[in-house]
Amino acid sequence: MNIDCAIIHGNVITPSRIIEQGCVLIADGKIVDVLDTIPRLGETVDIIDAKGNYVAPGFIDLHTHGAGGADFMDGNTAAYLTVARMHASHGTTLLYPTTLTSSNELLYETFETYQDAVRNNKDGAQFGGLHLEGPYFSPFQSGAQDKCYLRNPQPEEYMEILNRTDDIARWSLAPELPGANAFVNVLRERGILAAAGHTNATFEEMQEAYQNGLTHLTHFYSCMSSITRRNAYRYAGVLEFGYYEDDITVEIIADGIHVPSSLLKLVTKIKGVERIALITDSMRAAGMPEGKSILGSLTNGQEVIVEDGVAKLPDRSAFAGSVATADRLVRTVIREGNVTLHDAVHMMSETPARIMHVDDRKGKIRKGMDADIVVFDNNITILQTIINGTTVYTR
Ligand SMILES: [Zn+2]
């Protein structure tokens, strides 16, 4: 076999262990071998000397709205490519562009822009498919979603949306809404991941949705119900169901701000690394200097101020979005969540790949996998990002 590239002298993070001074061989964009010594290599092989740094599977972000000043709802291909490049420079090799609730016209435009962006994306994180965040959400848990677009799932509408594109990979919804269970069934039939988000569901409503095929929770702890009391009676909510049902997976904005250290420790202890994906849920200001920015649309979005590593409303009364990047998530869960480097990387690569059913080719450094690889130092500073065997970023 003709080896194209060899990454040598790396602490290679494999699914089972970290191989010190390991070697990863790449051919035709795939990982063809992972070794603990350097084999005899031909003169034509491109050598990447990792110099004792970590060599990890590329990061996979299931939920991001933007970065580098651009948002996926900006309505142009250049915005997609800017976000993809900025996230790649922070170690992400695969991401799921996430929409905000909007008019259907704007959504349909996004479908076309997505297609064009996939064709033109040469040096950014790959696009795994769209994540539709809304519009079937609870008005009581709307967060930064525009309330005026929130509604109940109607078959005429969602079938029309589904029939316009094959690019939807996941869809977040509030399972307590009338018609939600039928909708979840349709998503399951189509192989689209149904997730609960911006929801006020009770434990029992979540249980029903789970039985219909909803298996994932969107930004765990943000915009979801916990225990409530109604006329003296106590009701468990989405959070409790997330902990109760082992097969439910969750995603967390592990920027250390949206989910504080105490809760990071709780969720990693109870759910475990196999059930947790780290997400950025980043807005356009991710990867940019702090200061003023805009959440959502450039023409009629919400003005925000970015400071202390998070976006806030101008009066600082509430958070208004994350500016996290994947490297920061890994760094944060190690420091604030009491997990090992190996586990942190697992939650940023292998687990999200499995949640999206792309783990047959993504999320691991193992023979046969796509050569999506990131090299970083002890501080998780990204030194090099490789996608399908091609370097797209070097520090
Ligand atoms: Zn989001």
Side-chain angles (χ1 to χ4, degrees), residues 126-238:
Q126 287 187 299
F127 303 122
L130 287 164
H131 169 206
L132 268 52
E133 194 175 12
Y136 310 128
F137 284 150
S138 164
F140 304 105
Q141 298 281 3
S142 55
Q145 303 283 342
D146 193 337
K147 273 197 175 74
C148 78
Y149 294 115
L150 301 185
R151 51 195 182 265
N152 296 334
Q154 300 283 350
E156 315 78 63
E157 182 181 56
Y158 60 69
M159 291 312 290
E160 158 107 40
I161 295 172
L162 288 167
N163 289 336
R164 280 189 180 241
T165 176
D166 293 324
D167 294 325
I168 301 170
R170 55 173 299 196
W171 201 326
S172 296
L173 66 133
E176 71 274 24
L177 299 179
N181 284 312
F183 177 46
V184 167
N185 260 302
V186 170
L187 295 179
R188 172 167 63 179
E189 280 164 17
R190 294 194 174 219
I192 296 168
L193 178 79
H198 297 273
T199 163
N200 235 3
T202 61
F203 186 97
E204 290 75 14
E205 286 163 338
M206 269 306 300
Q207 198 148 35
E208 203 183 337
Y210 172 69
Q211 281 157 3
N212 279 284
L214 184 144
T215 57
H216 185 71
L217 300 183
T218 301
H219 44 49
F220 200 49
Y221 279 108
S222 298
C223 300
M224 61 175 54
S225 53
S226 181
I227 299 164
T228 50
R229 283 181 71 175
R230 301 173 203 178
N231 303 324
Y233 290 93
R234 207 167 259 115
Y235 292 83
V238 177

Side-chain angles (χ1 to χ4, degrees), residues 63-65 98-100 131 133 145 198 218-219 251 253 279-282:
H63 186 155
T64 169
H65 298 270
T98 301
T99 62
L100 281 172
H131 169 206
E133 194 175 12
Q145 303 283 342
H198 297 273
T218 301
H219 44 49
E251 58 183 38
I253 309 169
I279 56 157
T280 64
D281 196 3
S282 57

Side-chain angles (χ1 to χ4, degrees), residues 74-87:
D74 284 349
N76 59 73
T77 304
Y80 270 77
L81 303 183
T82 298
V83 183
R85 274 195 296 268
M86 179 56 82
H87 276 308

Side-chain angles (χ1 to χ4, degrees), residues 8 39 64 71 83 101-102 127 139 150 154 175 183 209 265 281 334 357 377-378 386:
I8 61 170
T64 169
D71 185 295
V83 183
T101 59
S102 66
F127 303 122
L150 301 185
Q154 300 283 350
F183 177 46
K265 287 176 188 149
D281 196 3
I334 294 170
H357 301 293
D377 66 13
N378 281 322
I386 299 164

Side-chain angles (χ1 to χ4, degrees), residues 1-9 22-30 32-33 38-50 371 373 375 384-394:
M1 183 187 307
N2 280 333
I3 303 297
D4 299 324
C5 173
I7 305 173
I8 61 170
H9 301 142
C23 172
V24 180
L25 301 182
I26 297 168
D28 288 333
K30 299 266 182 197
V32 291
D33 220 341
I38 303 172
R40 185 187 295 271
L41 295 165
E43 280 179 9
T44 58
V45 176
D46 183 17
I47 305 283
I48 296 172
D49 189 343
I373 293 168
V375 182
Q384 189 161 353
T385 306
I386 299 164
I387 297 175
N388 285 330
T390 302
T391 295
V392 297
Y393 169 79
T394 309

